[in-house]
Amino acid sequence: MKDTPLANCERDFLLKAIQEKKRLDGRQTYDYRKIKITFGTDYGSCFVDLGKTRVMGQVSCELVAPKENRPNEGIMFFNIELSPMASPAFEQGRQSELSVKLNRQLERCLRNSKCIDTESLCVVSGEKVWKIRVDVHLLNHDGNLMDAASIAAISALCHFRRPDVSIQGDEVTVYSQEERDPIPLSIYHMPISVSFSFFQQGTYLLVDPCEREERVMDGLLMIAMNKHREICSIQSSGGIMLLKDQVMRCSKIASVKVSEITELIGKALENDKKVRKAGGRCGFAESIPLDRITALKMDETPIEMMDVTERANDIVEKAEVSPQMAQSPAVPVPGVGQVGQGLQNTWGLEDEEEEDENEGSDNSAEEQEGRVSPMEQEKYEKEERDGGDVVEISDSEEEEVVILHPEKPDKAPKKTESSLHQKASNKKRQ
Protein backbone atom coordinates (compact mmCIF):
# COMPACT_ATOMS: atom_id res chain seq x y z
CA MET A 1 0.00 0.00 0.00
CA LYS A 2 1.40 3.35 -1.00
CA ASP A 3 1.67 6.17 1.46
CA THR A 4 -0.70 9.13 1.24
CA PRO A 5 0.91 11.89 -0.86
CA LEU A 6 1.50 15.31 0.66
CA ALA A 7 -0.71 18.13 -0.59
CA ASN A 8 0.89 21.15 -2.26
CA CYS A 9 -0.55 23.57 0.26
CA GLU A 10 0.81 21.44 3.11
CA ARG A 11 4.22 21.30 1.46
CA ASP A 12 4.29 25.07 1.02
CA PHE A 13 3.26 25.56 4.64
CA LEU A 14 6.10 23.33 5.90
CA LEU A 15 8.72 25.05 3.75
CA LYS A 16 7.52 28.50 4.78
CA ALA A 17 7.62 27.51 8.45
CA ILE A 18 11.19 26.19 8.03
CA GLN A 19 12.22 29.48 6.43
CA GLU A 20 10.87 31.29 9.49
CA LYS A 21 12.82 28.86 11.74
CA LYS A 22 9.65 27.27 13.07
CA ARG A 23 8.67 23.61 13.31
CA LEU A 24 5.34 21.82 13.61
CA ASP A 25 5.94 20.52 17.13
CA GLY A 26 7.39 23.79 18.47
CA ARG A 27 11.04 22.67 18.55
CA GLN A 28 14.01 24.81 17.65
CA THR A 29 16.27 24.06 14.70
CA TYR A 30 18.78 21.90 16.61
CA ASP A 31 16.43 20.33 19.17
CA TYR A 32 15.82 16.60 19.51
CA ARG A 33 12.46 15.17 20.40
CA LYS A 34 11.97 13.62 23.80
CA ILE A 35 13.90 10.34 24.11
CA LYS A 36 12.64 7.61 26.41
CA ILE A 37 14.57 4.36 26.96
CA THR A 38 13.01 1.39 28.75
CA PHE A 39 14.20 -2.20 29.15
CA GLY A 40 12.23 -5.43 29.18
CA THR A 41 12.22 -8.23 31.72
CA ASP A 42 14.84 -10.27 29.85
CA TYR A 43 18.34 -9.09 29.16
CA GLY A 44 18.79 -7.56 25.71
CA SER A 45 15.25 -6.23 25.28
CA CYS A 46 15.01 -2.47 24.82
CA PHE A 47 12.32 0.03 23.79
CA VAL A 48 13.17 3.50 22.51
CA ASP A 49 10.65 6.29 22.03
CA LEU A 50 11.88 9.20 19.91
CA GLY A 51 8.86 11.45 19.96
CA LYS A 52 6.16 9.29 18.39
CA THR A 53 8.68 7.03 16.66
CA ARG A 54 8.84 3.77 18.63
CA VAL A 55 11.47 1.07 18.09
CA MET A 56 12.16 -2.23 19.85
CA GLY A 57 15.61 -3.80 19.93
CA GLN A 58 16.14 -7.46 20.83
CA VAL A 59 19.51 -9.22 21.14
CA SER A 60 19.95 -13.00 21.09
CA CYS A 61 22.92 -15.36 20.83
CA GLU A 62 23.77 -18.91 19.80
CA LEU A 63 26.88 -21.07 19.33
CA VAL A 64 27.86 -21.55 15.68
CA ALA A 65 30.93 -22.39 13.64
CA PRO A 66 33.14 -19.36 12.82
CA LYS A 67 33.98 -18.02 9.40
CA GLU A 68 36.95 -19.63 7.67
CA ASN A 69 38.87 -16.40 7.18
CA ARG A 70 38.27 -15.33 10.82
CA PRO A 71 38.31 -18.44 13.02
CA ASN A 72 38.96 -16.52 16.27
CA GLU A 73 36.19 -13.94 15.98
CA GLY A 74 32.50 -14.08 16.75
CA ILE A 75 29.77 -13.10 14.31
CA MET A 76 27.57 -10.01 14.46
CA PHE A 77 24.29 -10.00 12.55
CA PHE A 78 21.86 -7.08 12.24
CA ASN A 79 18.29 -7.14 10.96
CA ILE A 80 15.76 -4.31 10.69
CA GLU A 81 12.11 -5.19 10.18
CA LEU A 82 9.67 -2.54 8.94
CA SER A 83 6.26 -3.74 10.02
CA PRO A 84 2.99 -2.58 8.38
CA MET A 85 1.82 -1.84 11.91
CA ALA A 86 4.24 1.10 11.97
CA SER A 87 3.10 2.65 8.68
CA PRO A 88 0.77 1.65 5.83
CA ALA A 89 3.61 2.32 3.38
CA PHE A 90 5.54 -0.75 4.63
CA GLU A 91 4.73 -4.19 3.19
CA GLN A 92 4.94 -7.49 5.01
CA GLY A 93 7.54 -10.03 3.90
CA ARG A 94 9.21 -7.78 1.37
CA GLN A 95 12.42 -5.81 1.84
CA SER A 96 12.06 -2.27 0.59
CA GLU A 97 14.84 0.11 -0.38
CA LEU A 98 14.46 1.88 2.95
CA SER A 99 14.97 -1.31 4.98
CA VAL A 100 18.10 -2.24 2.97
CA LYS A 101 19.46 1.27 3.40
CA LEU A 102 18.84 1.28 7.15
CA ASN A 103 20.32 -2.21 7.55
CA ARG A 104 23.54 -1.25 5.79
CA GLN A 105 23.86 1.97 7.72
CA LEU A 106 23.35 0.14 11.03
CA GLU A 107 26.04 -2.41 10.10
CA ARG A 108 28.49 0.37 9.25
CA CYS A 109 27.63 2.15 12.48
CA LEU A 110 28.05 -0.81 14.85
CA ARG A 111 29.97 -3.63 13.18
CA ASN A 112 32.46 -1.77 10.99
CA SER A 113 33.25 0.69 13.79
CA LYS A 114 34.56 -2.22 15.92
CA CYS A 115 32.52 -1.10 18.92
CA ILE A 116 32.22 -4.73 20.15
CA ASP A 117 35.16 -7.01 20.88
CA THR A 118 34.36 -9.94 18.58
CA GLU A 119 37.41 -11.92 19.71
CA SER A 120 35.89 -12.22 23.18
CA LEU A 121 33.00 -14.13 21.57
CA CYS A 122 35.28 -17.03 20.61
CA VAL A 123 34.73 -20.23 22.63
CA VAL A 124 36.89 -22.77 20.74
CA SER A 125 39.12 -21.46 17.97
CA GLY A 126 37.91 -22.61 14.59
CA GLU A 127 35.02 -24.63 16.08
CA LYS A 128 32.67 -22.67 18.37
CA VAL A 129 31.97 -18.96 18.53
CA TRP A 130 29.05 -16.85 19.69
CA LYS A 131 26.79 -15.38 17.04
CA ILE A 132 25.15 -12.18 18.30
CA ARG A 133 21.95 -11.32 16.48
CA VAL A 134 20.39 -7.84 16.81
CA ASP A 135 16.78 -7.52 15.64
CA VAL A 136 15.29 -4.05 15.40
CA HIS A 137 11.51 -3.90 15.00
CA LEU A 138 9.83 -0.67 14.04
CA LEU A 139 6.57 -0.25 15.97
CA ASN A 140 5.56 3.26 14.94
CA HIS A 141 6.97 5.51 12.21
CA ASP A 142 7.12 9.25 12.71
CA GLY A 143 10.44 10.08 11.10
CA ASN A 144 14.19 9.66 11.85
CA LEU A 145 14.21 5.86 11.92
CA MET A 146 18.01 5.60 11.75
CA ASP A 147 18.64 7.50 14.97
CA ALA A 148 16.00 5.54 16.89
CA ALA A 149 17.31 2.22 15.51
CA SER A 150 20.92 3.00 16.45
CA ILE A 151 19.95 4.02 19.99
CA ALA A 152 17.82 0.88 20.43
CA ALA A 153 20.54 -1.41 19.04
CA ILE A 154 23.42 -0.08 21.14
CA SER A 155 21.23 0.08 24.28
CA ALA A 156 20.11 -3.53 23.80
CA LEU A 157 23.74 -4.65 23.27
CA CYS A 158 24.84 -2.89 26.46
CA HIS A 159 21.95 -4.46 28.37
CA PHE A 160 22.47 -7.96 26.96
CA ARG A 161 24.12 -10.79 28.93
CA ARG A 162 25.34 -13.96 27.26
CA PRO A 163 25.41 -17.34 29.11
CA ASP A 164 28.62 -18.49 30.73
CA VAL A 165 30.39 -21.52 29.24
CA SER A 166 33.06 -23.99 30.37
CA ILE A 167 35.30 -26.27 28.30
CA GLN A 168 36.40 -29.74 29.41
CA GLY A 169 38.36 -31.38 26.64
CA ASP A 170 36.19 -31.33 23.55
CA GLU A 171 32.98 -30.84 25.54
CA VAL A 172 31.45 -27.33 25.81
CA THR A 173 28.97 -26.75 28.63
CA VAL A 174 26.55 -23.79 28.53
CA TYR A 175 25.22 -22.74 31.94
CA SER A 176 21.80 -21.26 32.47
CA GLN A 177 21.10 -17.98 34.26
CA GLU A 178 20.19 -19.83 37.47
CA GLU A 179 23.43 -21.82 37.51
CA ARG A 180 25.85 -18.99 36.76
CA ASP A 181 25.54 -15.28 36.31
CA PRO A 182 25.47 -14.28 32.64
CA ILE A 183 28.37 -12.29 31.21
CA PRO A 184 27.95 -8.87 29.54
CA LEU A 185 29.47 -8.11 26.17
CA SER A 186 32.76 -6.28 25.86
CA ILE A 187 31.86 -2.89 24.32
CA TYR A 188 34.59 -0.36 23.57
CA HIS A 189 32.45 2.65 22.67
CA MET A 190 28.86 3.53 21.81
CA PRO A 191 28.39 4.91 18.28
CA ILE A 192 25.11 6.80 17.83
CA SER A 193 23.68 8.13 14.59
CA VAL A 194 22.52 11.75 14.25
CA SER A 195 20.46 12.78 11.19
CA PHE A 196 20.41 16.22 9.54
CA SER A 197 17.90 17.21 6.89
CA PHE A 198 18.56 19.96 4.34
CA PHE A 199 16.00 22.14 2.59
CA GLN A 200 16.18 24.34 -0.52
CA GLN A 201 19.51 22.93 -1.70
CA GLY A 202 21.24 23.15 1.68
CA THR A 203 20.07 26.63 2.65
CA TYR A 204 18.21 25.46 5.78
CA LEU A 205 19.18 22.72 8.22
CA LEU A 206 17.14 20.73 10.76
CA VAL A 207 18.14 18.12 13.34
CA ASP A 208 15.94 15.05 13.99
CA PRO A 209 13.38 15.54 11.19
CA CYS A 210 9.88 14.20 11.70
CA GLU A 211 7.95 12.22 9.08
CA ARG A 212 6.39 15.24 7.34
CA GLU A 213 9.68 17.13 7.29
CA GLU A 214 11.35 14.12 5.66
CA ARG A 215 8.84 14.30 2.80
CA VAL A 216 9.75 17.86 1.83
CA MET A 217 13.52 17.70 2.46
CA ASP A 218 16.03 17.86 -0.39
CA GLY A 219 18.80 15.84 1.25
CA LEU A 220 19.78 13.87 4.35
CA LEU A 221 23.11 13.59 6.15
CA MET A 222 23.64 10.84 8.75
CA ILE A 223 26.71 11.00 11.00
CA ALA A 224 27.54 8.15 13.41
CA MET A 225 29.82 9.34 16.20
CA ASN A 226 30.79 8.36 19.74
CA LYS A 227 31.30 10.55 22.78
CA HIS A 228 35.05 10.73 22.07
CA ARG A 229 34.24 12.82 18.95
CA GLU A 230 35.28 9.99 16.63
CA ILE A 231 33.25 9.69 13.43
CA CYS A 232 32.34 6.03 12.89
CA SER A 233 30.41 6.45 9.62
CA ILE A 234 28.93 9.20 7.50
CA GLN A 235 26.43 8.98 4.67
CA SER A 236 24.76 11.60 2.49
CA SER A 237 21.67 10.97 0.40
CA GLY A 238 19.39 13.07 -1.74
CA GLY A 239 21.81 14.25 -4.40
CA ILE A 240 22.62 17.67 -2.92
CA MET A 241 26.10 19.19 -2.85
CA LEU A 242 27.31 20.03 0.66
CA LEU A 243 30.19 22.35 1.41
CA LYS A 244 33.03 21.53 3.78
CA ASP A 245 31.83 24.13 6.27
CA GLN A 246 28.36 22.58 6.35
CA VAL A 247 29.74 19.11 7.10
CA MET A 248 32.01 20.46 9.84
CA ARG A 249 29.12 22.36 11.35
CA CYS A 250 26.98 19.21 11.38
CA SER A 251 29.79 17.20 13.00
CA LYS A 252 30.07 19.75 15.83
CA ILE A 253 26.34 19.59 16.44
CA ALA A 254 26.43 15.78 16.33
CA SER A 255 29.19 15.63 18.97
CA VAL A 256 27.00 17.55 21.41
CA LYS A 257 23.92 15.42 20.74
CA VAL A 258 25.86 12.15 20.98
CA SER A 259 27.30 13.05 24.37
CA GLU A 260 23.79 13.86 25.68
CA ILE A 261 22.28 10.62 24.34
CA THR A 262 25.19 8.55 25.67
CA GLU A 263 24.66 10.00 29.12
CA LEU A 264 20.94 9.21 28.90
CA ILE A 265 21.66 5.58 27.95
CA GLY A 266 24.11 5.26 30.84
CA LYS A 267 21.53 6.54 33.33
CA ALA A 268 18.87 4.15 32.01
CA LEU A 269 21.26 1.18 32.32
CA GLU A 270 22.27 2.20 35.83
CA ASN A 271 18.65 2.54 36.99
CA ASP A 272 17.76 -0.87 35.55
CA LYS A 273 20.77 -2.42 37.27
CA LYS A 274 19.76 -0.96 40.64
CA VAL A 275 16.18 -2.24 40.30
CA ARG A 276 17.31 -5.75 39.37
CA LYS A 277 19.87 -5.82 42.17
CA ALA A 278 17.28 -4.74 44.73
CA GLY A 279 14.95 -7.50 43.53
CA GLY A 280 12.24 -5.11 42.42
CA ARG A 281 10.04 -5.40 39.39
CA CYS A 282 11.43 -4.24 36.09
CA GLY A 283 10.40 -4.15 32.46
CA PHE A 284 6.94 -5.53 31.68
CA ALA A 285 6.53 -6.92 35.20
CA GLU A 286 6.36 -3.36 36.46
CA SER A 287 3.93 -2.23 33.76
CA ILE A 288 1.31 -5.00 34.12
CA PRO A 289 -0.21 -4.04 37.51
CA LEU A 290 -0.25 -0.35 36.56
CA ASP A 291 -1.98 -0.92 33.19
CA ARG A 292 0.72 1.01 31.37
CA ILE A 293 1.36 -1.30 28.45
CA THR A 294 0.47 1.23 25.77
CA ALA A 295 2.43 2.10 22.67
CA LEU A 296 1.95 5.87 22.68
CA LYS A 297 0.91 6.77 26.22
CA MET A 298 1.05 10.53 26.69
CA ASP A 299 2.59 11.86 29.88
CA GLU A 300 0.21 13.82 32.07
CA THR A 301 0.94 17.53 32.34
CA PRO A 302 1.26 18.67 35.97
CA ILE A 303 -1.31 21.36 36.81
CA GLU A 304 -1.24 23.58 39.89
CA MET A 305 -4.54 23.00 41.70
CA MET A 306 -4.01 25.43 44.62
CA ASP A 307 -6.29 28.47 44.94
CA VAL A 308 -8.34 27.43 41.92
CA THR A 309 -11.53 29.01 43.26
CA GLU A 310 -9.91 32.37 43.89
CA ARG A 311 -8.35 32.45 40.44
CA ALA A 312 -11.66 31.53 38.83
CA ASN A 313 -13.44 34.33 40.71
CA ASP A 314 -10.79 36.84 39.63
CA ILE A 315 -11.13 35.78 36.01
CA VAL A 316 -14.93 36.11 36.19
CA GLU A 317 -14.72 39.56 37.74
CA LYS A 318 -12.18 40.83 35.22
CA ALA A 319 -14.09 39.40 32.27
CA GLU A 320 -16.30 41.73 30.25
CA VAL A 321 -20.04 41.41 30.59
CA SER A 322 -21.47 39.68 27.57
CA PRO A 323 -24.16 41.65 25.68
CA GLN A 324 -27.77 40.59 26.01
CA MET A 325 -28.60 38.23 23.22
CA ALA A 326 -31.89 38.83 21.46
CA GLN A 327 -34.24 35.91 21.20
CA SER A 328 -34.20 34.26 17.85
CA PRO A 329 -37.44 34.72 15.90
CA ALA A 330 -39.78 31.84 15.26
CA VAL A 331 -39.10 30.11 11.98
CA PRO A 332 -42.36 29.57 10.06
CA VAL A 333 -40.80 27.21 7.52
CA PRO A 334 -42.49 23.80 7.57
CA GLY A 335 -40.37 21.02 8.95
CA VAL A 336 -38.43 23.31 11.29
CA GLY A 337 -39.09 23.39 15.01
CA GLN A 338 -37.45 25.24 17.83
CA VAL A 339 -37.64 24.71 21.55
CA GLY A 340 -36.32 27.14 24.11
CA GLN A 341 -37.11 29.67 26.74
CA GLY A 342 -39.37 32.39 25.34
CA LEU A 343 -39.54 30.72 21.91
CA GLN A 344 -42.48 29.25 20.10
CA ASN A 345 -42.59 25.47 20.23
CA THR A 346 -43.64 24.16 16.83
CA TRP A 347 -42.63 20.53 17.24
CA GLY A 348 -45.47 18.14 16.36
CA LEU A 349 -48.01 20.90 15.70
CA GLU A 350 -48.03 20.78 11.91
CA ASP A 351 -50.58 17.96 11.65
CA GLU A 352 -52.93 19.63 14.10
CA GLU A 353 -52.75 22.91 12.17
CA GLU A 354 -53.54 21.11 8.89
CA GLU A 355 -56.55 19.38 10.45
CA ASP A 356 -57.84 22.71 11.78
CA GLU A 357 -57.46 24.28 8.32
CA ASN A 358 -59.36 21.39 6.67
CA GLU A 359 -62.19 21.64 9.16
CA GLY A 360 -62.39 25.42 8.68
CA SER A 361 -62.56 25.08 4.89
CA ASP A 362 -65.38 22.49 5.11
CA ASN A 363 -67.44 24.72 7.41
CA SER A 364 -66.95 27.75 5.14
CA ALA A 365 -68.06 25.72 2.11
CA GLU A 366 -71.23 24.65 3.91
CA GLU A 367 -71.98 28.23 4.94
CA GLN A 368 -71.48 29.42 1.35
CA GLU A 369 -73.99 26.84 0.17
CA GLY A 370 -76.60 28.04 2.68
CA ARG A 371 -76.08 31.74 1.90
CA VAL A 372 -77.72 33.62 -1.05
CA SER A 373 -76.07 36.65 -2.64
CA PRO A 374 -78.06 39.95 -2.69
CA MET A 375 -78.24 39.93 -6.54
CA GLU A 376 -79.79 36.50 -6.54
CA GLN A 377 -82.28 37.57 -3.89
CA GLU A 378 -83.40 40.55 -6.04
CA LYS A 379 -83.92 38.21 -8.98
CA TYR A 380 -85.99 35.89 -6.84
CA GLU A 381 -88.22 38.76 -5.74
CA LYS A 382 -88.61 40.03 -9.33
CA GLU A 383 -89.63 36.62 -10.60
CA GLU A 384 -92.14 36.21 -7.83
CA ARG A 385 -93.76 39.49 -8.82
CA ASP A 386 -94.00 38.40 -12.46
CA GLY A 387 -95.44 35.10 -11.33
CA GLY A 388 -93.19 32.98 -13.50
CA ASP A 389 -91.63 29.70 -12.58
CA VAL A 390 -87.85 29.66 -11.95
CA VAL A 391 -85.58 26.71 -12.90
CA GLU A 392 -82.13 26.50 -11.30
CA ILE A 393 -79.35 24.50 -12.97
CA SER A 394 -76.21 23.93 -10.91
CA ASP A 395 -73.47 21.55 -12.04
CA SER A 396 -71.16 22.14 -9.08
CA GLU A 397 -70.75 24.23 -6.00
CA GLU A 398 -67.94 26.31 -7.48
CA GLU A 399 -69.80 27.37 -10.68
CA GLU A 400 -72.18 30.29 -10.74
CA VAL A 401 -75.94 29.62 -10.56
CA VAL A 402 -77.69 30.12 -13.92
CA ILE A 403 -81.41 31.04 -13.84
CA LEU A 404 -83.56 30.24 -16.91
CA HIS A 405 -87.01 31.77 -17.51
CA PRO A 406 -89.66 29.70 -19.43
CA GLU A 407 -91.17 31.27 -22.56
CA LYS A 408 -94.71 32.79 -22.28
CA PRO A 409 -97.00 32.38 -25.38
CA ASP A 410 -99.23 35.40 -24.72
CA LYS A 411 -96.32 37.85 -24.60
CA ALA A 412 -94.02 38.85 -27.42
CA PRO A 413 -90.65 37.21 -27.29
CA LYS A 414 -87.76 39.30 -26.06
CA LYS A 415 -85.05 40.31 -28.40
CA THR A 416 -81.93 38.45 -27.85
CA GLU A 417 -78.40 39.36 -28.75
CA SER A 418 -78.31 36.83 -31.60
CA SER A 419 -81.39 38.30 -33.29
CA LEU A 420 -79.98 41.80 -33.06
CA HIS A 421 -76.77 40.63 -34.71
CA GLN A 422 -78.75 39.02 -37.55
CA LYS A 423 -80.73 42.24 -38.20
CA ALA A 424 -77.56 44.32 -38.26
CA SER A 425 -75.97 41.97 -40.79
CA ASN A 426 -79.08 42.07 -43.06
CA LYS A 427 -79.03 45.90 -43.13
CA LYS A 428 -75.38 45.87 -44.18
CA ARG A 429 -76.09 43.51 -47.05
CA GLN A 430 -78.98 45.72 -48.28
Side-chain angles (χ1 to χ4, degrees):
M1 178 179 178
K2 294 184 179 180
D3 202 358
T4 305
L6 202 63
N8 292 333
C9 58
E10 198 171 5
R11 182 184 298 272
D12 296 339
F13 175 80
L14 290 171
L15 293 175
K16 187 175 180 181
I18 292 170
Q19 292 177 6
E20 298 176 359
K21 296 183 179 180
K22 297 179 182 178
R23 305 180 75 169
L24 296 178
D25 47 9
R27 290 182 291 156
Q28 298 297 324
T29 305
Y30 303 142
D31 289 349
Y32 250 85
R33 289 172 288 182
K34 184 179 179 180
I35 302 175
K36 182 180 178 182
I37 302 174
T38 56
F39 297 100
T41 307
D42 298 332
Y43 285 109
S45 178
C46 176
F47 290 86
V48 174
D49 296 329
L50 182 58
K52 291 185 179 180
T53 300
R54 186 175 175 86
V55 175
M56 183 188 74
Q58 180 68 48
V59 180
S60 58
C61 65
E62 61 176 341
L63 286 173
V64 296
K67 295 181 180 179
E68 294 180 358
N69 55 350
R70 293 181 180 179
N72 299 326
E73 294 183 4
I75 300 173
M76 296 290 299
F77 180 78
F78 298 91
N79 177 43
I80 294 182
E81 182 180 353
L82 304 181
S83 172
M85 178 179 62
S87 174
F90 302 148
E91 297 182 5
Q92 181 70 28
R94 179 181 177 184
Q95 277 197 343
S96 60
E97 295 181 2
L98 179 61
S99 63
V100 175
K101 174 184 173 182
L102 293 175
N103 211 339
R104 291 178 179 174
Q105 180 65 14
L106 190 64
E107 288 180 355
R108 286 198 216 99
C109 177
L110 297 177
R111 185 170 62 187
N112 298 350
S113 62
K114 303 294 183 182
C115 66
I116 298 176
D117 183 12
T118 55
E119 292 183 358
S120 64
L121 301 176
C122 179
V123 178
V124 178
S125 178
E127 295 182 4
K128 297 286 184 180
V129 294
W130 286 109
K131 178 183 178 181
I132 306 298
R133 178 186 175 95
V134 181
D135 292 295
V136 178
H137 299 268
L138 182 61
L139 303 179
N140 191 63
H141 175 36
D142 192 35
N144 202 3
L145 299 178
M146 187 59 215
D147 292 9
S150 66
I151 295 172
I154 193 64
S155 300
L157 286 170
C158 293
H159 188 256
F160 178 68
R161 304 286 188 272
R162 66 173 179 82
D164 192 8
V165 296
S166 64
I167 304 172
Q168 295 179 356
D170 296 337
E171 184 180 356
V172 178
T173 305
V174 180
Y175 296 97
S176 63
Q177 186 176 353
E178 290 78 12
E179 295 174 348
R180 289 189 183 181
D181 292 336
I183 301 173
L185 300 178
S186 178
I187 298 176
Y188 295 136
H189 58 89
M190 295 168 53
I192 296 172
S193 175
V194 180
S195 299
F196 301 88
S197 57
F198 295 91
F199 302 87
Q200 296 187 1
Q201 300 300 320
T203 307
Y204 301 98
L205 167 68
L206 291 181
V207 178
D208 182 25
C210 64
E211 191 264 341
R212 293 185 180 274
E213 292 171 347
E214 286 183 350
R215 291 192 182 189
V216 299
M217 69 181 181
D218 296 333
L220 183 67
L221 178 66
M222 292 184 289
I223 299 177
M225 185 183 292
N226 56 21
K227 66 178 181 179
H228 306 296
R229 300 174 65 90
E230 298 173 350
I231 295 178
C232 301
S233 68
I234 184 169
Q235 180 179 354
S236 176
S237 60
I240 61 172
M241 301 296 293
L242 298 177
L243 301 176
K244 178 182 176 182
D245 297 337
Q246 290 177 320
V247 178
M248 294 300 296
R249 181 184 176 187
C250 293
S251 64
K252 291 179 181 178
I253 297 172
S255 63
V256 177
K257 299 300 179 184
V258 165
S259 60
E260 295 176 356
I261 296 172
T262 304
E263 185 179 358
L264 180 63
I265 295 173
K267 289 181 179 179
L269 291 169
E270 185 178 355
N271 294 335
D272 182 77
K273 185 178 180 180
K274 289 181 180 179
V275 173
R276 290 177 184 274
K277 188 175 182 180
R281 293 183 175 182
C282 57
F284 293 121
E286 183 183 5
S287 302
I288 290 173
L290 300 178
D291 295 334
R292 290 182 181 175
I293 302 181
T294 53
L296 300 175
K297 180 177 176 60
M298 302 298 293
D299 297 334
E300 296 181 359
T301 305
I303 301 174
E304 184 65 31
M305 299 299 293
M306 302 298 292
D307 302 332
V308 177
T309 306
E310 296 179 1
R311 291 184 183 181
N313 294 332
D314 295 340
I315 293 172
V316 172
E317 290 177 359
K318 294 178 181 179
E320 297 179 358
V321 180
S322 58
Q324 294 293 333
M325 299 297 295
Q327 297 180 357
S328 59
V331 183
V333 181
V336 178
Q338 55 186 4
V339 179
Q341 186 177 3
L343 301 179
Q344 183 181 0
N345 186 350
T346 60
W347 290 104
L349 300 179
E350 297 177 1
D351 298 334
E352 297 178 4
E353 292 176 359
E354 292 178 0
E355 291 176 1
D356 295 342
E357 291 176 0
N358 294 334
E359 291 177 2
S361 61
D362 295 338
N363 295 334
S364 60
E366 292 176 359
E367 291 176 0
Q368 289 178 3
E369 290 177 0
R371 292 177 185 176
V372 181
S373 62
M375 294 179 64
E376 294 177 352
Q377 191 173 1
E378 290 179 1
K379 290 181 180 180
Y380 283 128
E381 293 177 356
K382 187 176 179 182
E383 294 296 334
E384 287 178 358
R385 290 178 204 153
D386 296 342
D389 297 332
V390 179
V391 181
E392 295 182 4
I393 300 175
S394 176
D395 295 336
S396 63
E397 296 178 357
E398 297 178 358
E399 294 180 357
E400 296 181 357
V401 178
V402 181
I403 301 173
L404 300 180
H405 300 277
E407 295 182 358
K408 295 181 180 180
D410 53 344
K411 293 183 179 181
K414 296 181 180 181
K415 295 181 180 180
T416 59
E417 292 181 0
S418 60
S419 61
L420 292 174
H421 284 296
Q422 289 178 1
K423 290 180 179 180
S425 61
N426 293 332
K427 288 180 181 181
K428 287 182 181 180
R429 290 176 184 176
Q430 291 176 359

